[in-house]
Every structure is written in structure tokens, then in C-alpha cells.
Amino acid sequence: MDLVPALQEPLKKVLGPATAKVMAEHLGLHTVGDLLHHYPRRYEERGQLTHLADLPMDEHVTVVAQVADARLHTFASSKAPRGKGQRLEVTITDGSGRLQLVFFGNGVHKPHKELLPGTRAMFAGKVSVFNRRLQLAHPAYELLHGDTEGEETVESWAGALIPLYPATAKLESWKLAKAIQTVLPSAQEAVDPLPESLREGRGLVSLPEALLKIHRPHTKADIEDARARLKWDEAFVLQIALARRRHAESQLPAVPRKPGPDGLLTAFDDRLPFTLTDGQQKVSREIFDDLATDHPMHRLLQGEVGSGKTLVALRAMLAVVDSGGQAVMLAPTEVLAQQHHRSVVEMMGELAEGGMLGGAEHATKVVLLTGSMGAAARRHALLDLATGEAGIVIGTHALIEDKVQFHDLGLVVVDEQHRFGVEQRDALRGKGKQPPHLLVMTATPIPRTVAMTVFGDLETSVLDQLPAGRSPIASHVVPAADKPHFLARAWERVREEVSNGHQAYVVCPRIGDEDDDPKKGAKQSKQPPEGDADKRPPLAVLDVAEQLAKGPLQGLKVEVLHGRMQPDDKDAVMRRFAAGETDVLVATTVIEVGVNVPNATAMVIMDADRFGVSQLHQLRGRVGRGSAPGLCLLVSEMPEASAARQRLNAVASTRDGFELSRIDLEQRREGDVLGQAQSGARTSLRVLAVIEDEEVIAEARQEAAAVVAADPELTGLPGLRTALEALLDEEREQYLEKG
């Protein structure tokens, strides 16, 4: 594969080793091609300046402004005791505000000569406060006269739009701009990844033209043209990678798994005390159709909290057992694995007692395997897996260890995709004689665009109706700082629920034992610090439980649950709570997923602003699981106008998980979402915004599927193959390979 030599040229050859080193270390740029794809963050227009009035504190900024005033002061200091210390104070203005620049010591001579009143320049530095005024200390600057410095500067400043690049303290935006001007001629040699018919059909400019226009635009229309084209590149190359993977998966052999006419699945359906919702039936049909084919199913099952995903997954597992195979359910935590095991055994009744007295005719064994099991129980479980005695296995990543052997693994169900590494899924899939079918469940609804971008290799099924008998949940924000009596009322409501025979959860962001460093806790909190509430460490389970038991909930049975308890203790606490022996469970987010106690009707989430939107939605789904209505109170000390409070208001105002996941995405950048999903790989998206560019992504997916169907190896599209190799650097290649 002959790659484009000009774009592969290392930067150290073109720009010199010092600059190249900074670019590599701070911006991850190594070749001419990397630098050409480092796009401007925004553009300054001559005469339309960054508003000095809006400068963010502690951020590295670039401003274009005019010098209003410059004064040199001398002063005495420890280094210059005779009053010989020098300080140059320069005031700059852009019409919207004024900003003080300050230079000290030997650093004053050059700016003193150059920054005369009336001079226009670009300044870059970190915004700080001195004497209650904003200032830049020792900013780097670039004069904007352009007539004394030879042709090059005139040329680079003559354009109407000044590109401002994502920069670092070590490398100002205009130095990046100069470096890019140096390599811009190489853009002519960029090989176009888009098939010509696609490019012309959509009226997109060529790649060399797009690179030229994004770095050196003359009009706003140039920027629009360039961005439209570069968005297509990102969406299309990513979708080609996913389409090739779907194609490769469809070529793999798998054992078709069809349930028998009067087998385990029929016996199970006959036992159910209710009928499946239309949604559950539709999704089950999609899954059974996939299982019946001779290549591996790859399906993402997403559903609202409480929409009955576990039941759908269990029916798929039973279908596989019916056909003589084994099915595995992988849970992210031991608490959850135990919970799943308990609920599966309860739902199946005597059908889960295979090989035991009193087991039903079609029964199978349901085995739990976790890391903390005793040696004897573990040996027993491993034997059941290897002989095929256990048709259904539920466990944590302990299932992935080398010792674990299956008789005939037919289906892998992964609960909560985002908690499970790609490598782990891969290791488990390697345990089948042929690749097993794969079903991934997630309770955090994912907007369609993200699903297409991140999980584009999985077919998607959506459960969006709640089963009959699920109750509505009322959610309210409790502003503890502004209205402390609201918090007192919240505890009264908990007492009322308990006196009506129900139970409640109280959730805190932190455990509060000695290993639990508050500084660390604050750092890990999902949301950026805002206001005073962030100055104290997040509230902790152990402290809150003690305060409640002695104070507002005195006389009620209060217990704690958190991730650092011994597994047996955790299980005992959960059992007591499920049996109704405990009134109030004070817990961390270990209860976030899958915990099912229908009698729990109220939840109070302390420091709710410390949790992400989807996490709050997940937590709230733990109440209202029975016939009594649920109540969720989001307690926060954040001021009303803060972004954190707006986030909480959004959660309180809608039960629609898909709507909330959109809000979540718009508030966090989708880079985080993609980064997370790409097993930590740096997001490859530079101009594509997952939520805004929904249409581009959907169209690119269609085009990519057509291209791959016609030419899976891309033999006729060398430019596209080159772009694909660049996208799939090793880490991503492995990521996509393992899926």
C-alpha cells in the first residue's frame, strides 16, 4: 500500500525538532497529515474581536485587540532593592472591554518598544486576576501590521478571517497557524477517500480544496464548504469500518439455535403469570430470527429502566438451551450477578432444578459463578459448565478466566455494555467451539445517532413500553441550600412511605470509610465544580446513615450497602432489604443497575448534582417497580441558575430515557461518549458532532453499506483504504476487531 509520502513526512523534518516535539507531546501531531487535520476551533474576523468582557478565568486564550495605553513602572524588590525593578503595564481594548497585560524584569524591553498605543496585535496567555482585575501576565503576542516583516506575514494576515487553533501554553495559536501555512502546499497531494460518484452526487468539494479552505478561508462560505466535506469524511470512513465488520461477522459460521416445539421455552412461557408486552414479543422475534441463522447474532437490546429486558434475554437463553447449547449472562458486579441469578431461578421455578429431585421434565441447571465463591462451590460450578449439566450460567468476569470451559457455548448475554471491556467480551466469545451469538443489553438508552456511530456493528432492538403493573414515578428537585425546610419535608415523606408498609433508598456519592479520600471523591465526581457546594467533599453513606438513624429517621431500621463490603455481607443486606426487614437502605450507586425490590417506593439522592443524567435515570428506575407509585427526590445545594440545577430539572421533568440521553450528550461533549465506547481511544471525530449531524451519519451508514456490499476489500478505492488505515491505528483496529 503506497501511502502518500508528502502527508506521511514527519514534522521534525519539516518544522524542526523543537516545534515537532511540542506538537507530538501536547497535541498528538506527528506527521504533515496530522497537522493538516488539526482544524481551527473558530475564526476571528478583522474588526470583530473576541470580547474581552467574556474572558474565562484560568483558561488559555487568544485575543485580538489594540493597545490603548502602555506604562513602565520601576519598583524596589528583593531582586532589585534599589528601585531598579521594572514592570510594564499595557492596557488593551477591543471595544467590549479592557484587559491589563503585565511584563516584568528583562522581559519588558521588547514589548516596551513594540506595544505602542494604537498598535494592533494578537495576544495569548492565561487569564488571571490581580487586584480584582483580569490580566494576562507575560502573554505571547504577534503584531498585526504585516508590512515590515516581508511578504509572508502580509500574506498570512491579509485574509479576512484569522483561524484560531486549539493551542497549548507551549504553542500559541499563531505559531500553529504559521506551521500549517508551511505545510499547506502538501494538501494538494491528499488522496481523496470518498468515491467520486458519492462526492459529486452530494456536491462536496475535493479533499485538497477542503483542507485549503478550512485553514485559509476567504469567506464564511469557504468554511461551510470545508466543514461539510470534512464531516462526510469522518462519518463515512467510520461507517465503512463498521460496515466491513458487519460484513466480516456475517461470513463467520455459527450454530443455528432453534427452540424445540414443546421444550423448555414453551414450558417457561406457560408458567408466566402475565402476557408479554407487544414490544417484548416483537424484540423476542427479532432475536429468535437471528439465533436461527448460521452466522453469529450481534444485537444491542436497549430498553427503558424496567421495560423487561431481563425477561427477553432469559427467553433467548432458554431457546438456546432447548437447542442443546449453553447460555451465559455476564454482569458487571457480584451484587448484580447474584441478583440476576436469584430472579432467573425465581422466574423459572422447577424448570431451574435440572438433575434434582422435583425438577421438571425439561429442567436445566442455573449456575452462579463469581470470584468470591468458596473453592468447593466453585469446583462444582466449573464441572457443571464443562459437562453441559448447567444450561444457564450467570456470573461476573470470573467467567472469562482460562480455567472456565464450556460444553457447548451458544449465546453470550452482556448486561450493561458500557461496564464491560471489549477484550472481556472477546475472551468469552473465544470459549465457544464456533463463535457464539451475542446479545448486549443496556438500560441507558442511547440516541439513535450514537448507536449508529459507536455500536454501528450491532443490530439494535428497542423496548420502549413499560409492562403493565409498573407504576409512575414522581421526581422533584429539593434545593437544600435555598429551602432547608424542603429537605426536612423529604425525610417526613420517607417516614410516611415506611408507615404505609413500603421501603426507601437513600443514595450518596461516596462511601466515607478511611480508604475513601474526599479529595479523590471530588475528583471522580462526574460533573465540573460549580459554586460553593463543591467546596465540601461529597456526602458519604456512612455519615449520612448515622445522621439519619439518630435524627430524622430515628426509630426506623436503617442499613448501609456499598461496594467495599464483603460479598457475603452485601448479599445479606440485600436479602434483608428484599425481604422487607430493613426500612431504609443508604447506599452508593451499587444499587444503580438491576436491583429489584418492588416494595421500595421512595428514593432520596443526596448531592444529586454529582451524578450524570443517565446515572440519575438509572437510579430512579429502582423505585416504582411494584403496584404503588414511586417517588424520587433529587437533593442539591447548587444555586438555581447553575447548569447542574438545569440538569436536575431536566431529569425531574421527563421519564423518557432517550430524551435524557440526548440532553446528557448535548451537555457533555460526545467525544467523551465515543472515547468511552472506543475503549479509551482518542475520539477520531474533529468536525462531526454526533447529535447535530444525525442526517450525515445516517446517510453515510447507507452509503458505506452499499460500498462494502459491492467491494468488501475496497480494492477499487485505494484512497478510502488509506483513510481507513489511518483511522484504524492499532488501538482502534483491535477495538473494532474485538467488538
Side-chain angles (χ1 to χ4, degrees), residues 473-621:
I473 303 174
S475 305
H476 304 284
V477 178
V478 177
D482 319 345
K483 301 181 175 163
H485 60 286
F486 276 35
L487 184 58
R489 175 74 188 115
W491 301 126
E492 281 171 27
R493 283 290 290 113
V494 169
R495 293 193 83 99
E496 286 164 19
E497 289 298 314
V498 173
S499 65
N500 289 334
H502 297 302
Q503 293 159 280
Y505 297 101
V506 177
V507 181
C508 305
R510 203 161 61 86
I511 297 173
D513 55 15
E514 49 287 350
D515 298 341
D516 190 29
D517 177 359
K519 289 196 186 97
K520 216 161 62 187
K523 215 179 239 161
Q524 284 166 349
S525 83
K526 296 267 168 103
Q527 304 304 342
E530 253 177 297
D532 293 340
D534 202 74
K535 289 185 179 147
R536 60 165 174 74
L539 291 169
V541 166
L542 301 177
D543 307 341
V544 169
E546 190 179 348
Q547 287 159 14
L548 291 176
K550 289 180 178 164
L553 302 184
Q554 198 170 5
L556 300 186
K557 181 130 179 37
V558 177
E559 288 212 65
V560 299
L561 179 71
H562 58 75
R564 267 205 286 275
M565 289 164 62
Q566 288 303 315
D568 291 352
D569 297 345
K570 273 194 274 199
D571 205 35
V573 169
M574 262 329 290
R575 275 175 195 282
R576 285 196 293 275
F577 190 64
E581 294 163 24
T582 307
D583 299 321
V584 179
L585 186 62
V586 183
T588 55
T589 53
V590 292
I591 63 156
E592 177 185 346
V593 186
V595 171
N596 185 20
V597 179
N599 191 44
T601 52
M603 175 176 286
V604 182
I605 302 178
M606 308 302 290
D607 279 344
D609 46 88
R610 305 270 181 164
F611 300 100
V613 169
S614 52
Q615 209 174 13
L616 291 169
H617 183 58
Q618 280 283 46
L619 286 165
R620 168 172 65 184

Side-chain angles (χ1 to χ4, degrees), residues 333-352:
T333 63
E334 293 212 349
V335 167
L336 200 51
Q338 287 161 343
Q339 173 95 26
H340 276 317
H341 181 254
R342 248 200 318 275
S343 60
V344 164
V345 168
E346 274 166 26
M347 280 198 270
M348 287 176 63
E350 74 245 24
L351 297 175

